[in-house]
Amino acid sequence: LLSPHFIYRVELPPEANAQVPTPLGDHQLATRLSYFVWSSMPDEQLFTHADNGSLSDPMVLNGEIERMLQDPRSKALVDNFAGQWLQVRGMDDVAPDHDFFPDFDESLRASMKLETLLFFQRFLSSNLPVQDMINAPFTFLNSRLANHYDLDHQTGEEREDLPSGFKEVELNGTDRAGLMTMGSVLTVTSYPNRTSPVKRGKWILEQLMCDAP
């Protein structure tokens, strides 16, 4: 149980004593791709491409990426990658001071977190430019979150692919746009009883600009 080969996905170079970086083999590439997009092992089709050495072909690789992103299992990329990158996983642990925020409850916590994940999913599925996340004029709201933001939830667009109660809502003409006005981001970058320009500045530097202070 302590073996690195049991705990980790080990990538070994073709030569045991290699001193320089070497390209990934097709099986290593299949494993990285599958655990990144699906958070699980490769499927039969990925294994087939790895076995015959075709996965490293850019056309085959791009085709497999498109196939995997269209697969329902790609929800793992939204939950795990976006959850870590945008730190919305932290919503599970935040505890706003009830004296200052008496309306904060578990329903609002879950709605804030889901809003951000649906927002990321929209960019992923529609292949939108990532920089547009900063000022995107839309978001995803249910009635609980719309009431918290003081926005009109009724004008939103209902879609079958959205969780029950959620609609895609246009933000033009409101004070909200993009990631930095989302409740989840504002909450995880705050203290329990007040905002924190320092924590929010650190979040922007680290998560958006890749330039940690």
Side-chain angles (χ1 to χ4, degrees):
L1 293 179
L2 296 178
S3 167
H5 293 267
F6 178 80
I7 301 173
Y8 302 106
R9 295 187 290 277
V10 177
E11 295 173 350
L12 298 175
E15 299 179 10
N17 297 318
Q19 299 296 313
V20 295
T22 56
L24 291 175
D26 280 61
H27 284 92
Q28 294 170 337
L29 183 58
T31 299
R32 278 201 190 187
L33 183 62
S34 183
Y35 276 93
F36 178 66
V37 179
W38 288 342
S39 296
S40 184
M41 65 185 294
D43 64 356
E44 183 176 349
Q45 185 164 321
L46 270 175
F47 274 131
T48 298
H49 285 301
D51 289 341
N52 61 31
S54 63
L55 189 59
S56 52
D57 182 309
M59 290 189 64
V60 174
L61 179 60
N62 287 336
E64 284 301 287
I65 292 172
E66 290 294 330
R67 177 182 73 86
M68 295 175 71
L69 288 175
Q70 293 171 11
D71 190 287
R73 284 172 287 185
S74 65
K75 185 179 183 298
L77 178 63
V78 177
D79 294 339
N80 295 327
F81 175 73
Q84 292 180 60
W85 171 41
L86 301 175
Q87 297 184 348
V88 294
R89 283 183 171 183
M91 285 297 296
D92 296 336
D93 301 318
V94 296
D97 191 319
H98 183 73
D99 290 337
F100 288 86
F101 306 103
D103 294 333
F104 188 90
D105 56 20
E106 293 306 310
S107 174
L108 185 59
R109 181 198 305 272
S111 298
M112 285 180 173
K113 183 176 179 180
L114 191 51
E115 174 195 18
T116 308
L117 296 179
L118 291 172
F119 183 77
F120 177 87
Q121 173 68 58
R122 174 78 152 76
F123 275 77
L124 184 66
S125 61
S126 302
N127 198 28
L128 299 176
V130 69
Q131 63 266 27
D132 288 359
M133 287 186 174
I134 300 298
N135 60 354
F138 62 85
T139 192
F140 297 87
L141 306 176
N142 58 9
S143 58
R144 178 70 179 87
L145 195 52
N147 181 65
H148 179 73
Y149 289 161
D150 194 23
L151 294 176
D152 184 6
H153 174 251
Q154 301 302 319
T155 61
E157 177 188 356
E158 293 187 15
R159 295 210 314 264
E160 292 184 357
D161 60 326
L162 295 178
S164 176
F166 271 83
K167 297 179 181 179
E168 182 172 342
V169 178
E170 292 296 320
L171 297 174
N172 289 321
T174 74
D175 293 331
R176 294 186 177 270
L179 283 171
M180 293 306 301
T181 65
M182 288 189 174
S184 62
V185 173
L186 296 174
T187 301
V188 299
T189 58
S190 293
Y191 290 111
N193 60 355
R194 63 178 176 86
T195 62
S196 173
V198 173
K199 291 182 70 172
R200 289 181 181 167
K202 181 175 181 289
W203 186 92
I204 291 172
L205 286 171
E206 290 183 338
Q207 310 311 123
L208 300 185
M209 302 179 71
C210 301
D211 186 18

